[in-house]
Amino acid sequence: MSTTANAYAAHSADAPLAPFSLTRRDVQPGDVAIDILFCGVCHSDLHTARSEWGGTLYPCVPGHEIVGRVTAVGASVSKFAIGDVVGVGCMVDSCGHCPSCNDGEEQYCETTGFVGTYNGPDTVLGGYTFGGYSDHIVVDQGFVLSVSHDEADLAAVAPLLCAGITTYSPLRHWKVGPGQKVGIVGLGGLGHMGVKIAAAMGAEVYVFSTSPNKRDDAIRLGAKELIVSKDADAMAAHANSFDFILDTVAASHDLDALTSLLKRDGTLTLVGVPEHPHPSPTVGNLIFKRRAIAGSLIGGIAETQEMLDFCRDHKLTADIEMIAINEIDTAYERMVRSDVKYRFVIDMASLKTV
Ligand code: NAP
Ligand code: ZN
């Protein structure tokens, strides 16, 4: 039986989010039905709700940092049982047989592209997918993660499903570890997880920030220093010294100021996806030291499980501010002002009282 989910949706790019009902599919043989306990608030939710990237389908139910409890499983599901605590991140499906899917890099699916947890094509019901700002969801078991942190930490685990994996994956891919000097640009949801994870991997971590008042937090999270990115002298003091820089900034900015801080063969990897493009970087800055600018998209399912287990073992969760669902518009406004410490998480029980 398909079910009706209570949710919050954006009905247009400039309207506040509002209550909305949607249909979840019957549990298929390979599906897991999940009651959502907590859902993190990613800047991608805001970009999509406001159609800053274009292509948003309305009504839009954002949310791809989901932690919840299994309430039903399909006949062929063996990995999960009723009562298990599980997570769902940015993807709910992919083609399953292209070279990237075969490599466990479903986020780079080469045939259909990955199916986003929201605003993606719904291959079972038709229409498009609705995300985690809702009371339950039905997901193919191949896109469900096991959560084994302490139950008391589950709200702070939710942001790992996007902010955690989006920083863990490039830090692993570019082999960040002991003896390396690593920069994290932007101390927001992604950035603060990047600091924690890179420090846990053994790197010496520096934060580049537009917010000098985040210095104490940066150091508490594991950084050696916070460098104010608007301070040209402070930046110049670190010229040619970084092995790797991860840029999580959600707005257009000058990349040359960062590439010039890389050592020979260093890489600046972009994960922030601003509404407007960055100014074109200077080629000379790259070729004279064989520096690279790269990009990275979330992470595969197997790597997401690896990240969750790594974070459990290193006792890492997000620093969160819990909100009720009807506070979501205020949370978005604060996110635009870089006033998030360091991830909003929606307590989904609040859906019952609005
Ligand atoms: P967030 O919590 O809003 O953090 C972004 C941070 O960037 C802010 O806290 C701020 O840090 C800094 N910042 C904001 N405006 C800036 C500006 N004009 N110039 C310089 N720095 C600025 O956002 P998030 O959830 O971490 O997401 C960050 C970006 O990553 C978004 O574009 C999101 O869509 C994208 N994303 C990408 C992927 C992927 O797979 N590649 C996955 C998830 C999200 P300071 O105060 O420290 O300067
Ligand atoms: Zn996200």
Side-chain angles (χ1 to χ4, degrees):
M1 280 269 295
S2 61
T3 52
T4 301
N6 294 320
Y8 249 55
H11 290 264
S12 71
D14 50 11
L17 274 70
F20 175 65
S21 292
L22 59 94
T23 302
R24 295 293 187 196
R25 68 185 186 228
D26 296 346
V27 175
Q28 310 289 301
D31 279 348
V32 177
I34 302 160
D35 266 359
I36 300 175
L37 297 169
F38 302 106
C39 185
V41 179
C42 179
H43 209 115
S44 302
D45 299 353
L46 186 162
H47 289 304
T48 307
R50 298 184 175 178
S51 203
E52 292 178 351
W53 297 328
T56 300
L57 302 163
Y58 294 102
C60 167
V61 177
H64 59 204
E65 294 184 336
I66 297 167
V67 167
R69 202 177 293 278
V70 175
T71 55
V73 295
S76 65
V77 172
S78 50
K79 256 175 72 186
F80 300 100
I82 292 173
D84 286 356
V85 177
V86 294
V88 177
C90 303
M91 304 184 276
V92 289
D93 209 353
S94 71
C95 86
H97 52 70
C98 72
S100 290
C101 287
N102 285 338
D103 286 347
E105 303 270 21
E106 301 89 350
Q107 72 278 28
Y108 301 117
C109 176
E110 291 156 46
T111 51
T112 54
F114 77 83
V115 176
T117 303
Y118 55 83
N119 208 48
D122 187 326
T123 47
V124 177
L125 289 182
Y128 58 96
T129 54
F130 296 111
Y133 297 3
S134 59
D135 56 12
H136 70 282
I137 192 166
V138 179
V139 180
D140 182 286
Q141 62 174 335
F143 290 82
V144 178
L145 290 308
S146 292
V147 172
S148 50
H149 279 74
D150 287 347
E151 292 244 346
D153 292 335
L154 294 183
V157 168
L160 303 182
L161 276 304
C162 175
I165 184 60
T166 303
T167 50
Y168 181 91
S169 181
L171 291 168
R172 269 277 178 265
H173 182 79
W174 276 276
K175 300 185 170 51
V176 161
Q180 292 187 351
K181 184 171 173 182
V182 169
I184 304 288
V185 193
L187 198 61
L190 267 57
H192 95 292
M193 285 315 307
V195 172
K196 290 186 187 205
I197 292 170
M201 288 174 175
E204 185 173 271
V205 183
Y206 293 74
V207 170
F208 297 100
S209 177
T210 57
S211 308
N213 62 359
K214 293 181 181 174
R215 173 167 275 117
D216 290 350
D217 284 344
I219 290 162
R220 177 178 54 79
L221 294 167
K224 192 167 159 59
E225 204 183 307
L226 179 144
I227 301 162
V228 178
S229 47
K230 291 181 269 196
D231 179 341
D233 290 341
M235 295 289 277
H238 292 272
N240 307 319
S241 68
F242 280 86
D243 296 281
F244 182 71
I245 299 177
L246 185 65
D247 188 338
T248 75
V249 171
S252 166
H253 60 281
D254 171 30
L255 301 182
D256 293 336
L258 297 168
T259 55
S260 54
L261 304 187
L262 293 168
K263 282 179 180 167
R264 192 198 73 223
D265 290 326
T267 300
L268 167 66
T269 294
L270 309 177
V271 289
V273 189
E275 178 182 4
H276 305 291
H278 298 303
S280 180
T282 305
V283 174
N285 239 6
L286 302 177
I287 61 177
F288 279 95
K289 290 200 181 293
R290 201 165 49 194
R291 294 158 168 152
I293 298 177
S296 182
L297 178 66
I298 44 177
I301 293 298
E303 193 175 41
T304 306
Q305 190 64 58
E306 178 188 307
M307 175 277 308
L308 284 169
D309 297 347
F310 175 93
C311 288
R312 177 204 58 210
D313 293 346
H314 288 83
K315 304 205 179 316
L316 300 183
T317 55
D319 285 27
I320 65 162
E321 187 174 332
M322 191 95 88
I323 60 166
I325 188 86
N326 60 5
E327 295 173 299
I328 188 67
D329 291 291
T330 312
Y332 280 5
E333 285 312 314
R334 284 184 51 194
M335 190 145 64
V336 169
R337 295 197 303 267
S338 303
D339 176 25
V340 188
K341 300 211 168 146
Y342 280 87
R343 195 59 137 188
F344 291 113
V345 172
I346 304 164
D347 180 356
M348 217 45 75
S350 63
L351 250 182
K352 296 195 180 76
T353 55
V354 290

